[in-house]
Amino acid sequence: MNLINRFILNLKKGKTPLHRLAGSVLRAIFRPVGPRIPRTAIFLVPLRVMYELHYFCVVMLRSIVTICYRSPLFQARCSRVGANLSLDSLPFVSGHVQIEIGDDVYIGGKVAIISGGILESPRLILGNGSELGWNVSITVNKEVVIEDHARIAFDCRISDSDAHPREADLRAANKPPRIEDIKPVRICRNAWIGNGAHVMKGVTIGEGAIIGANSVVISDVPPFCMAAGNPARVYLKDFGRPSTFQQPET
């Protein structure tokens, strides 16, 4: 093993001409560089068509897999599913959480829904028109409610517990958190959670509130406020209320 490690180190350093040659070959393999194509229509037009066709075929294949495989499997895992559920991939669900989904819900790819074995009937509720972006993780041991038309951007984390007790000896013994430390989370209608935000246990985010990107929310946010930071605090009040603007008649 030491010989292999030394060879890799010498390869990275380019210690000898042989090592440098081997490094160049490996870079060409792992970081290939394509030739430049002539900037003429005879090359660009068919290649552009092939580019668009490539992704059209990818999208069509994904749609077929979703309709025939992902959606039926996920619906079978849920306790209630409304109309027009849209999935980008099959969500990962661990534990015995009951999932209730309203109408016109969108769930992005790489979504994880995780529950422990602490309480009997943990529930995740996704209201009508709600959206979960890509790479969202939801830990639910009691209840997480995402109301109608609330939007959760990509890379967000929502949890109704800390998953482990605060005492070091209890964590070392792999004990579960206390039941009184498990507190429901509610994201009210029309709220918008920015990408990378963490919403912690016991938090209620009010109607129409906006949470800034990468914020950590540890306390309630009033309706129609903008909060951001770690920990998140309210910066703007009476913010984002429904618009009264009407398009002029033509």
Side-chain angles (χ1 to χ4, degrees), residues 7-233:
F7 175 76
I8 293 173
L9 178 61
N10 290 337
L11 198 65
K12 289 180 176 292
K13 289 183 174 181
K15 191 171 183 179
T16 67
L18 181 59
H19 289 116
R20 290 192 290 272
L21 176 61
S24 299
V25 171
L26 290 174
R27 279 191 296 273
I29 294 172
F30 289 103
R31 297 178 60 182
V33 177
R36 295 187 64 185
I37 63 171
R39 308 301 296 177
T40 58
I42 193 171
F43 286 98
L44 293 178
V45 172
L47 290 174
R48 176 60 187 271
V49 171
M50 290 176 63
Y51 177 91
E52 300 296 343
L53 184 62
H54 169 86
Y55 280 104
F56 176 78
C57 293
V58 170
V59 170
M60 288 298 297
L61 180 60
R62 287 180 56 198
S63 297
I64 293 170
V65 172
T66 296
I67 293 169
C68 299
Y69 183 76
R70 294 170 178 148
S71 185
L73 262 63
F74 183 62
Q75 290 186 49
R77 177 59 183 80
C78 299
S79 57
R80 180 175 66 87
V81 179
N84 303 321
L85 171 64
S86 177
L87 301 174
D88 277 348
S89 69
L90 184 64
F92 173 76
V93 182
S94 174
H96 62 298
V97 56
Q98 299 180 25
I99 303 173
E100 302 177 20
I101 298 178
D103 297 335
D104 304 311
V105 170
Y106 164 76
I107 300 178
K110 298 182 180 179
V111 169
I113 303 168
I114 301 168
S115 63
I118 304 169
L119 298 177
E120 290 292 329
S121 301
R123 291 199 311 162
L124 170 64
I125 300 174
L126 302 178
N128 298 332
S130 58
E131 297 184 4
L132 300 181
W134 277 67
N135 201 33
V136 168
S137 175
I138 301 176
T139 301
V140 49
N141 286 290
K142 190 171 186 179
E143 185 177 76
V144 174
V145 178
I146 299 172
E147 294 186 357
D148 295 355
H149 303 289
R151 297 186 177 188
I152 316 299
F154 63 91
D155 285 339
C156 288
R157 303 291 181 266
I158 301 171
S159 179
D160 65 356
S161 76
D162 298 326
H164 301 286
R166 65 176 64 92
E167 296 85 356
D169 58 330
L170 297 181
R171 288 199 305 273
N174 293 319
K175 298 295 184 182
R178 293 184 175 88
I179 292 178
E180 57 268 23
D181 289 334
I182 301 173
K183 300 176 182 180
V185 173
R186 180 174 291 270
I187 298 173
C188 296
R189 58 185 293 122
N190 297 317
W192 177 17
I193 313 301
N195 59 278
H198 287 217
V199 180
M200 311 305 285
K201 64 181 183 181
V203 166
T204 294
I205 295 176
E207 178 182 355
I210 297 175
I211 306 301
N214 299 313
S215 299
V216 178
V217 188
I218 63 174
S219 59
D220 293 352
V221 176
F224 300 110
C225 290
M226 194 281 284
N230 181 6
R233 65 185 184 91

